[in-house]
Amino acid sequence: MRFGKKGKVSTTYVEPYKIMKRVGKVAYELELPAESAAVHSVFHISLLKKCVGDPASTVPLESMVVKNSLSYEDVPVEILDCQVRKLRNKKFASVKVLWRCQSIEGDT
């Protein structure tokens, strides 16, 4: 069973799952959701990746309003930097924006 799409755009890693127990020296049994019942729950260690949560990249859910379409509107707070760049004979503006639900490190 494949997760998601096939080919070049397929996802390499699916989600973080809890490790239930170690099976042998190089395999682990994972706690998979009910939708993945067709997938065997024991995986070789080379197929797993350590998931380390970064508290700076998490956004508190209380500050977001999620619509029924599972989308949200992010509001710009401040323009941090503005540059005009030249590419051959074209000029374009590059603006760095601080968004409402993100920290300074999350500006785009």
Side-chain angles (χ1 to χ4, degrees):
M1 179 177 179
R2 293 183 183 266
F3 295 101
K5 299 178 181 178
K6 291 192 259 182
K8 290 183 180 179
V9 293
S10 66
T11 54
T12 308
Y13 297 100
V14 183
E15 287 182 25
Y17 294 113
K18 183 178 178 183
I19 295 176
M20 298 302 293
K21 66 179 179 178
R22 186 175 179 173
V23 181
K25 292 183 179 181
V26 292
Y28 288 92
E29 182 179 353
L30 303 180
E31 180 181 0
L32 298 177
E35 304 91 46
S36 303
V39 179
H40 191 30
S41 62
V42 177
F43 292 88
H44 190 269
I45 195 168
S46 65
L47 298 173
L48 303 176
K49 182 178 179 181
K50 185 176 182 180
C51 176
V52 179
D54 183 15
S57 66
T58 59
V59 177
L61 292 177
E62 296 82 25
S63 65
M64 271 192 196
V65 177
V66 180
K67 299 176 185 174
N68 289 339
S69 63
L70 296 180
S71 62
Y72 70 95
E73 184 177 329
D74 212 352
V75 179
V77 174
E78 179 183 357
I79 295 177
L80 300 175
D81 189 21
C82 182
Q83 296 177 354
V84 177
R85 298 181 186 211
K86 186 175 179 182
L87 180 65
R88 294 191 183 183
N89 58 355
K90 295 182 182 179
K91 293 182 181 178
F92 61 94
S94 175
V95 180
K96 188 181 261 189
V97 178
L98 176 64
W99 298 95
R100 179 183 60 187
C101 296
Q102 295 184 358
S103 62
I104 295 291
E105 293 82 23
D107 52 2
T108 57

